[in-house]
Amino acid sequence: MTDAPKTPLLDTVQRPADLKRFSDTQLRQIADEVRAETVSAVSVTGGHLGAGLGVVELTVALHAVFDTPRDKLIWDVGHQCYPHKILTERRDRIRTLRMKDGLSGFTKRSESPYDPFGAAHSSTSISAALGFAVARDLGGTPPEGTGDAIAVIGDGSMSAGMAYEAMNNAGHLGKRLIVILNDNEMSIAPPVGAMSSYLSRLYAQNPFHDLKAAAKGAVSMLPEPFREGAKRAKEMLKGMAVGGTLFEELGFSYLGPIDGHDMDQLLPVLRTVKTRATGPILIHVLTKKGKGYAPAETARDKGHATAKFDVVTGAQKKSPSNAPSYTSVFAQHLIKEAQADDKVCAVTAAMPDGTGLNLFAERYPSRCFDVGIAEQHGVTFSAALAAGGMKPFCAIYSTFLQRGYDQVVHDVAIQRLPVRFAIDRAGLVGADGATHAGAFDVAYLANLPGFVVMAAADEAELAHMVATAAAHDDGPIAFRFPRGEGTGVEMPERGTPLEIGKGRMIREGTGVALLSFGTRLAEVEKAAENLGAKGITPTVADARFAKPLDRDLILDLAERHDALITIEEGAVGGFGSHVAQLLAEEGVFDRGLRYRSMVFPDTFIDQASPADMYAVAGMNAEQIEAKVLSVLGVASLGEARA
């Protein structure tokens, strides 16, 4: 285990209020110690390293100046919250980050009063901060009280429309509200879009600060009758200097850019804002993701997400795998489809590496589009690509596609446009916990008319589903696959399109049929093997499609077996519910079929290893085996052997 760093000043800090007794020089030392502690902790747990390292000085300065938890400090997304957790009475548990029964990797209301608003998806912080500000002014009384509301949002998160919706509303209401734009020119991937270029131009125009200060000072010295004309002249001068600022047009006072690693700049600015701000104000802070830890600074993703690592070398400790990851299989087979068809193109929302589309972009840069953190736009953009005669693959994590659901319904499904949705991170994802679980996509897509919804049982099936989607032009189609490695099955050179709405038999048995949808098939087969040793021989089938259902397969299984159990990696309302609807409408239950549907429980499952999370969900082999015994009325394993 890595030796803990020496942190003499930090050791005396139990809570943010303790920071107020230190000098500015000592606060700089505390920042250095927080950085060392962050690196040490993440080396043990793995997690989001670079974002936290980039805001160490900002975190110390904010907690030293403001009065949390009375003042509401809201971190957008939450990737950067580890230094915040170290300072807010959680240092003793910081080496449990993202582990079972440990600290969440994101802000979480139930974890600490210092986390006033939970987050793990981006671009929500300004809306939340404005809500706190309005609640304060209306007399709201949360347990810790309500003072200032401070949102810290990254430049990558500013590419999402929700941030501007909030700023537009905040500018209109005029409430005292502090927004800190943490501009590190980096979200998870390098930034894209005009907003990033705009922020870079603001940074380049250093004379702006002096000009603005001089103009404001000059106006204040003029007699009242002359001030209005002088203000108009000042605005003209400012516009000539940097073209104005979008933020001021939205009703925010704008300060910056300032160096987010220089406490001599941060502390005076924050103290001044705390003392003098009246309406909404935006402080533009420049930081460097991965700051102060060379392996993170030099990494392509600036140490965004790491496994456990060696502090000295930065080398990550990843277990080797004999099977390819599902994400890489998707990317490689999409490239093969693009080789054969120049209409195939790809869209992602700020996750080119996470979705594997960085590989596609290297090969076909003109046909790959990263739209930034803008899932709504990405879905509608894909819809119009399809309407324009292209074959778009819209690759978005299950949990992030939720953000674009209205567009899926309104712009894709109603118009029956053949957008191909590649849904990564289906099912339970481990250390990221409930906020990133792919639990709901089957339910929220399979209820849409004309949608085809598939789930890959293994990596070879995923290759076939990529080919199926590429060949499907009659409306929208989606295929889902999990995080992590495949099962090691033999891979085809290129996928073969599947017959729409047709599943496959895996093994024939008697008495009970197990109908799997998705990658729980491996656990289903393991359960079947175990049951076979007890004298029970289930039939096992892979549904492949939640919509359209394989009616013939399902009705045949129901006809030939006493019991039918469906297994899926998703919430109630998905595949099993559609099967139940079919069986009910066909009158199968009238004839006495025993039917069960294994789905995720009606709760959000906290972070743990995937195996532990699936155990909580009751969907590992032993729980599937127990479900079979229960449905068959076998009270004990001994009866099954008899």
Side-chain angles (χ1 to χ4, degrees):
M1 183 173 176
T2 305
D3 291 335
K6 289 182 171 55
T7 54
L9 288 184
L10 182 59
D11 292 344
T12 68
V13 176
Q14 299 300 315
R15 55 192 57 84
D18 296 339
L19 295 171
K20 299 188 185 302
R21 68 173 182 262
F22 294 103
S23 68
D24 289 2
T25 299
Q26 289 173 315
L27 289 174
R28 285 194 290 274
Q29 181 179 332
I30 288 173
D32 292 339
E33 293 178 8
V34 168
R35 177 170 282 109
E37 178 72 347
T38 301
V39 172
S40 175
V42 180
S43 75
V44 173
T45 65
H48 297 104
L49 178 63
L53 296 182
V55 297
V56 167
E57 287 82 8
L58 180 61
T59 303
V60 173
L62 283 167
H63 279 301
V65 170
F66 290 94
D67 301 311
T68 57
R70 181 177 180 274
D71 291 334
K72 307 305 180 189
L73 178 55
I74 301 165
W75 299 94
D76 205 273
V77 186
H79 288 148
Q80 71 280 54
C81 71
Y82 301 175
H84 162 77
K85 294 196 177 195
I86 289 169
L87 292 172
T88 53
E89 303 183 21
R90 286 171 278 184
R91 187 186 179 192
D92 60 333
R93 292 182 288 153
I94 199 66
R95 286 166 178 76
T96 69
L97 277 166
R98 295 159 53 88
M99 295 179 179
K100 184 179 181 181
D101 301 323
L103 294 178
S104 169
F106 304 97
T107 52
K108 190 173 183 179
R109 276 177 54 83
S110 61
E111 188 178 287
S112 170
Y114 291 96
D115 294 355
F117 204 80
H121 292 189
S122 84
S123 314
T124 63
S125 59
I126 304 176
S127 298
L130 179 60
F132 278 113
V134 171
R136 171 197 65 210
D137 294 349
L138 290 176
T141 55
E144 302 80 27
T146 301
D148 277 316
I150 307 111
V152 183
I153 183 169
D155 56 308
S157 294
M158 289 292 285
S159 65
M162 186 174 175
Y164 295 97
E165 294 171 18
M167 292 186 72
N168 181 58
N169 191 202
H172 170 70
L173 292 175
K175 302 290 185 182
R176 174 175 162 121
L177 169 72
I178 300 162
V179 174
I180 297 176
L181 172 56
N182 174 34
D183 183 358
N184 57 29
E185 299 186 338
M186 183 87 180
S187 51
I188 295 171
V192 294
M195 175 50 61
S196 174
S197 300
Y198 171 71
L199 294 175
S200 296
R201 288 199 304 277
L202 279 180
Y203 176 45
Q205 298 292 340
N206 289 328
F208 167 65
H209 309 95
D210 298 334
L211 177 63
K212 181 176 180 180
K216 180 176 278 189
V219 169
S220 66
M221 291 185 289
L222 290 172
E224 186 65 39
F226 295 98
R227 288 187 184 179
E228 191 57 40
K231 286 178 182 176
R232 288 196 296 270
K234 181 195 77 170
E235 292 301 319
M236 185 185 302
L237 278 172
K238 188 172 66 179
M240 291 169 59
V242 294
T245 76
L246 172 64
F247 309 113
E248 292 191 331
E249 295 300 325
L250 287 171
F252 277 70
S253 297
Y254 172 87
L255 288 175
I258 64 173
D259 184 346
H261 299 297
D262 185 349
M263 299 287 271
D264 291 336
Q265 290 188 45
L266 281 174
L267 290 166
V269 167
L270 292 176
R271 287 167 180 151
T272 300
V273 167
K274 179 177 172 64
T275 302
R276 299 184 183 179
T278 53
I281 187 166
L282 184 139
I283 307 170
H284 186 177
V285 174
L286 300 170
T287 62
K288 184 175 182 180
K289 198 170 183 179
K291 174 72 173 179
Y293 183 58
E297 288 187 14
T298 57
R300 182 179 181 275
D301 67 351
K302 304 301 181 187
H304 170 68
T306 72
K308 299 175 185 180
F309 61 90
D310 181 272
V311 172
V312 176
T313 65
Q316 297 186 41
K317 302 168 183 176
K318 292 186 177 181
S319 301
S321 173
N322 294 323
S325 72
Y326 282 99
T327 299
S328 66
V329 169
F330 159 65
Q332 290 159 7
H333 284 268
L334 183 60
I335 289 170
K336 291 177 182 179
E337 296 302 324
Q339 284 175 323
D341 188 343
D342 64 5
K343 298 297 186 291
V344 171
C345 56
V347 176
T348 186
M351 297 296 292
D353 290 10
T355 58
L357 290 188
N358 57 319
L359 304 175
F360 188 94
E362 290 172 5
R363 187 71 175 271
Y364 298 108
S366 68
R367 287 193 264 161
C368 191
F369 306 94
D370 180 355
V371 299
I373 302 175
E375 291 84 0
Q376 293 175 299
H377 162 62
V379 171
T380 302
F381 175 58
S382 298
L385 282 170
M390 298 300 290
K391 295 185 175 182
F393 280 74
C394 186
I396 299 179
Y397 291 4
S398 170
T399 185
F400 297 152
L401 187 58
Q402 294 162 187
R403 295 161 61 99
Y405 186 60
D406 180 63
Q407 287 68 28
V408 172
V409 176
H410 183 269
D411 298 336
V412 177
I414 288 176
Q415 303 189 94
R416 293 190 61 83
L417 288 168
V419 175
R420 290 87 173 158
F421 289 96
I423 303 175
D424 202 336
R425 301 323 196 256
L428 301 175
V429 296
D432 281 336
T435 57
H436 283 59
F440 309 111
D441 57 275
V442 178
Y444 70 61
L445 293 179
N447 63 3
L448 298 177
F451 234 98
V452 174
V453 180
M454 304 180 283
D458 56 45
E459 61 269 40
E461 283 290 294
L462 176 56
H464 296 316
M465 289 180 181
V466 173
T468 305
H472 186 75
D473 290 313
D474 184 23
I477 187 168
F479 53 96
R480 72 193 310 255
F481 50 96
R483 181 179 189 172
E485 287 75 37
T487 60
V489 298
E490 184 176 350
M491 291 295 296
E493 179 60 30
R494 183 180 170 192
T496 302
L498 304 172
E499 183 179 352
I500 299 295
K502 291 299 178 184
R504 58 175 179 151
M505 292 296 298
I506 302 300
R507 66 162 73 190
E508 289 282 3
T510 58
V512 60
L514 303 177
L515 180 57
S516 178
F517 180 67
T519 53
R520 284 292 95 185
L521 180 61
E523 293 295 307
V524 169
E525 290 191 85
K526 192 184 301 182
E529 291 285 348
N530 295 340
L531 288 163
K534 300 175 176 69
I536 298 171
T537 56
T539 292
V540 176
D542 174 19
R544 282 178 167 161
F545 294 84
K547 191 168 189 179
L549 291 172
D550 188 337
R551 294 172 55 89
D552 294 340
L553 172 64
I554 293 167
L555 294 175
D556 177 64
L557 292 174
E559 178 70 24
R560 295 190 295 111
H561 297 82
D562 300 322
L564 172 62
I565 301 173
T566 62
I567 303 96
E568 65 185 294
E569 299 156 307
V572 65
F575 171 67
S577 297
H578 285 259
V579 172
Q581 177 74 13
L582 169 63
L583 295 173
E585 290 299 318
E586 294 293 327
V588 174
F589 295 133
D590 303 346
R591 301 191 290 273
L593 176 74
R594 283 175 278 178
Y595 176 72
R596 302 291 186 273
S597 179
M598 298 185 72
V599 298
F600 289 165
D602 189 26
T603 185
F604 292 104
I605 301 175
D606 284 336
Q607 76 276 359
S609 70
D612 283 341
M613 293 182 81
Y614 277 108
V616 172
M619 298 186 72
N620 286 332
E622 54 267 35
Q623 286 117 356
I624 297 169
E625 181 182 348
K627 178 68 76 172
V628 171
L629 295 174
S630 172
V631 171
L632 293 180
V634 179
S636 69
L637 298 184
E639 288 186 32
R641 295 189 186 97

